[in-house]
Amino acid sequence: MNDAVPAHTPAPASVPASTAAPRRRARVRAPELIGKGGWLNTGGKELTLADLRGKCVVVDFWTFCCINCLHVLDELRDLEEKHRDTLVIVGVHSPKFVHEAEHQAVVDAVERYEVHHPVLDDPELATWKQYAVRAWPTLVVIDPEGYVVAQHAGEGHANAIRTLVEELEAEHEAKGTLRRGDGLYVPPEPVATDLRFPGKAVLLPTGNFLVSDTTRHQLVELEPDGETVVRRIGDGDFREPQGLTVLPDGKVVVADTVNHALRTYDPATGVIERIAGTGTQWWQGSPTSGPALDVDLSSPWDVAWWQGKVWIAMAGVHQLWTYDPQTRTVAVAAGTTNEGLVDGPAAEAWFAQPSGLAATEDRLWIADSETSALRWIDTEGVVHTAVGTGLFDFGHRDGDAGQALLQHPLGVTALPDGSVAVSDTYNHALRRFDPASGEVTTLATDLREPSDAVLVGDEIVVVESARHRLTRLRLPEEAVQVEAVAHRTQREATEVAPGRLRLDVVFQAPTGQKLDERYGPSTRLLVSSTPPELLVGGAGTGTDLFRELDLDPEITEGVLHVSAMAASCDDDPANEYPACHVHQQDWGVPVKVTPDGAARLPLILAGMDA
């Protein structure tokens, strides 16, 4: 996820991460875990670090809008199970959007994403600031004596943390400071409803609805009333399915999100078939086109039939892909994998977690959730933005599209008059954008996390995800009047000095691994800025994990976009085919240029900053 907070006291310049010698782990006492929202999954108990003494602890700083955070939740499940008597994972929910600071929204997210460990609700970012966290997701490892021993940002660190936990187990078993026994997780009481956090819906030719019942890992067919269950579909076939689209032959393509796959469901026969994806998450360097069943995908969130192909909102890598049923191949259609809002030719555009699609004859509409934007791609392959300005501005404001605001929309629906309805998820509203007038209005409020909508005659049926139901609305003749609200993300700007700024991405290969130099450099660093004029020098791609940046002193604020990747492999000369692991993270660092600002910006990918 592309956000960060300001640096604390600048540290001295370090040895470039790729050449740093192994060091003993620093002895830094872990700050207390505090959050105004209190604790979830503990049976009402307020936890302290003293309660965790004797355990290996992994603190997962996450926020539920963030696809990378959801990937990390899945990465940690196996570790959590295998070391359940020595390891406690503690989630610290640290919100980006205003809606994510609502306690009930956090309660819903913990159930929705099946988080089976204690979670601290920290709406004011108290613990986030104490741990000097800069990005979602960030993992901090605390030893059984209460000291911070490692920090990791981004995805791909599960193996490194597993190795570290095993080292800590052995070390503290020998010292007598390891405490074995059950964890502190207390599951909440289950709730009986026909749907549980439904994601998307489509209208079948029969007039019935097909709904992705995300948390129960199934599809549900409902009668035209939107309430009566006809059948449940999929027993072990799906994991958190989301998007649905009906093909010309009547089959339904399903975005099988957590399985990183596409499947078809045939309502006539009941047959479910995987048509794309391997079940393994795509990583940088993997193929981006080829036979569909041989190419990895990454969290496909929605699908739409447009121009003879299935278009895929590939939320996990901030791109659009296509699946061609004639050739049974997939390919990248738009986006660079960089997270942000950049229009233009498809190959150069930036997206940020695209999560909703709707096709018309000449446009594919896109709900680009992390930029709180409504965007579209034309038949010439050019990406445009209708509403939205970037990663840090959001709210509920109607009027001219150039100044209108959304908050993390997940769905978009084409309307007969050429306008579109936007499921404005974190505003709990259904919004409308009219390309003819360039105006944004509000159709309905008092929805609860709407994530999709289906047009049925002169009515629209909304997927109210957090109310676990479909809600039928008549399209109003006049807009609902809403008092305008504008927000910026709670991340404060990092104060940096004008002129030369040293950027250091800290990466230390896990124990027993080394940087993979077999086929050339194993690290990559991409730096850019918004506005582009902020960087006079230092933008672009390189292989060192450090960079000297030159800032234009005439531009007093902006955002630095930093994307880092490092590949490490098992350091065993006898193994001809060592296991390799990719570690990667994107940061978006709001900066303010001030005379007393820092001259160094450290970003931790893995390890500890010297």
Side-chain angles (χ1 to χ4, degrees):
M1 182 169 178
N2 203 342
D3 286 278
V5 293
H8 288 250
T9 304
S14 64
V15 176
S18 58
T19 60
R23 294 191 293 263
R24 290 181 59 84
R25 290 193 293 267
R27 298 284 285 177
V28 179
R29 176 67 71 177
E32 190 54 81
L33 302 172
I34 54 174
K36 189 175 181 180
W39 288 88
L40 307 176
N41 286 352
T42 63
K45 179 178 174 61
E46 297 288 314
L47 297 184
T48 66
L49 284 176
D51 298 316
L52 303 173
R53 195 62 52 81
K55 298 285 191 180
C56 304
V57 179
V58 174
V59 182
D60 177 15
F61 290 89
W62 69 297
T63 190
F64 63 77
C65 72
C66 163
I67 190 66
N68 312 89
C69 298
L70 305 186
H71 289 168
V72 167
L73 285 174
D74 288 324
E75 287 180 4
L76 293 176
R77 294 188 200 279
D78 184 58
L79 179 71
E80 191 169 25
E81 178 60 30
K82 287 185 176 178
H83 297 268
R84 59 189 307 169
D85 68 331
T86 59
L87 171 69
V88 175
I89 295 177
V90 173
V92 176
H93 188 269
S94 312
K96 172 186 175 179
F97 290 99
V98 170
H99 168 59
E100 292 175 306
E102 297 176 15
H103 182 69
Q104 185 58 47
V106 181
V107 172
D108 289 345
V110 166
E111 180 190 350
R112 182 195 297 263
Y113 297 116
E114 299 181 292
V115 180
H116 293 164
H117 51 248
V119 174
L120 175 64
D121 180 11
D122 183 19
E124 297 177 347
L125 304 176
T127 295
W128 165 287
K129 293 172 183 174
Q130 286 295 310
Y131 279 78
V133 174
R134 294 181 176 277
W136 297 277
T138 290
L139 300 168
V140 176
V141 183
I142 302 173
D143 73 13
E145 294 180 294
Y147 290 93
V148 174
V149 293
Q151 183 170 323
H152 302 265
E155 303 178 49
H157 301 290
N159 185 70
I161 292 175
R162 181 182 298 107
T163 300
L164 179 54
V165 166
E166 290 169 354
E167 288 180 359
L168 292 173
E169 286 175 343
E171 176 185 339
H172 289 274
E173 186 92 83
K175 290 174 66 174
T177 50
L178 184 70
R179 177 166 55 90
R180 294 184 179 273
D182 291 337
L184 300 168
Y185 169 64
V186 179
E189 290 294 321
V191 180
T193 53
D194 288 330
L195 300 174
R196 204 70 193 160
F197 298 104
K200 306 285 186 181
V202 291
L203 190 65
L204 296 174
T206 60
N208 288 352
F209 294 98
L210 189 65
V211 184
S212 54
D213 196 18
T214 302
T215 300
R216 295 215 177 100
H217 313 291
Q218 291 182 318
L219 309 181
V220 178
E221 185 177 341
L222 301 175
E223 290 186 2
D225 62 9
E227 298 179 7
T228 306
V229 175
V230 177
R231 61 179 60 84
R232 305 190 69 87
I233 300 137
D235 184 7
D237 296 289
F238 306 110
R239 286 186 65 202
E240 297 183 25
Q242 286 283 347
L244 307 165
T245 192
V246 181
L247 298 179
D249 65 4
K251 292 182 180 178
V252 178
V253 176
V254 183
D256 192 4
T257 304
V258 176
N259 277 329
H260 308 295
L262 299 186
R263 300 183 193 276
T264 53
Y265 163 64
D266 188 341
T269 64
V271 172
I272 297 170
E273 179 183 5
R274 178 171 59 92
I275 59 169
T278 64
T280 298
Q281 183 183 338
W282 185 93
W283 287 97
Q284 290 286 352
S286 300
T288 56
S289 63
L293 292 173
D294 298 335
V295 177
D296 299 337
L297 308 181
S298 182
S299 299
W301 206 273
D302 203 6
V303 283
W305 178 253
W306 190 53
Q307 294 188 316
K309 295 180 181 178
V310 175
W311 287 67
I312 309 163
M314 202 72 78
V317 287
H318 318 299
Q319 291 180 312
L320 303 181
W321 289 36
T322 58
Y323 167 74
D324 186 336
Q326 296 298 317
T327 60
R328 298 185 181 182
T329 57
V330 292
V332 173
T336 64
T337 76
N338 294 320
E339 186 180 12
L341 193 155
V342 176
D343 290 336
E348 301 171 13
W350 291 22
F351 297 94
Q353 220 167 292
S355 301
L357 300 175
T360 64
E361 185 175 347
D362 59 350
R363 295 184 182 187
L364 181 70
W365 292 97
I366 305 148
D368 202 29
S369 62
E370 276 298 294
T371 53
S372 297
L374 172 65
R375 306 176 72 186
W376 52 281
I377 185 169
D378 63 28
T379 55
E380 301 299 316
V382 178
V383 176
H384 311 260
T385 296
V387 183
T389 60
L391 288 160
F392 301 100
D393 292 289
F394 54 90
H396 192 144
R397 186 163 63 198
D398 289 328
D400 180 76
Q403 56 85 50
L405 293 172
L406 309 169
Q407 187 180 179
H408 198 79
L410 291 178
V412 59
T413 306
L415 300 179
D417 63 359
S419 67
V420 290
V422 179
S423 295
D424 192 6
T425 309
Y426 288 2
N427 279 328
H428 310 300
L430 191 67
R431 311 285 293 284
R432 177 178 178 263
F433 168 68
D434 184 356
S437 66
E439 293 287 310
V440 175
T441 54
T442 297
L443 297 175
T445 58
D446 194 30
L447 302 168
R448 187 70 186 174
E449 293 191 18
S451 54
D452 197 18
V454 180
L455 192 67
V456 184
D458 58 358
E459 296 180 325
I460 194 163
V461 175
V462 180
V463 180
E464 271 198 281
S465 189
R467 283 199 177 114
H468 320 293
R469 70 187 188 190
L470 303 188
T471 298
R472 189 179 297 267
L473 305 172
R474 182 169 292 276
L475 286 171
E477 295 182 6
E478 295 185 3
V480 177
Q481 296 300 310
V482 177
E483 185 176 350
V485 177
H487 301 288
R488 281 186 69 84
T489 177
Q490 295 183 56
R491 309 296 82 75
E492 302 168 13
T494 298
E495 294 190 357
V496 296
R500 182 62 57 91
L501 176 67
R502 164 82 176 206
L503 171 66
D504 282 314
V505 174
V506 177
F507 177 77
Q508 294 154 4
T511 302
Q513 294 183 27
K514 64 179 181 180
L515 290 175
D516 179 17
E517 307 284 358
R518 291 173 300 165
Y519 307 107
S522 63
T523 56
R524 187 191 69 171
L525 180 63
L526 172 65
V527 181
S528 63
S529 66
T530 303
E533 296 77 20
L534 174 64
L535 281 178
V536 177
T541 303
T543 57
D544 291 322
L545 291 180
F546 61 94
R547 187 80 57 86
E548 298 288 348
L549 307 179
D550 292 310
L551 306 181
D552 186 338
E554 300 300 317
I555 298 178
T556 58
E557 61 181 27
V559 179
L560 293 176
H561 303 281
V562 181
S563 178
M565 185 273 288
S568 61
C569 294
D570 293 344
D571 188 8
D572 181 2
N575 186 354
E576 185 178 357
Y577 303 103
C580 297
H581 309 274
V582 177
H583 318 265
Q584 63 184 48
Q585 172 64 7
D586 293 344
W587 292 266
V589 187
V591 295
K592 180 182 293 185
V593 180
T594 63
D596 298 326
R600 175 177 178 262
L601 177 62
L603 300 175
I604 297 178
L605 180 59
M608 300 283 284
D609 184 25

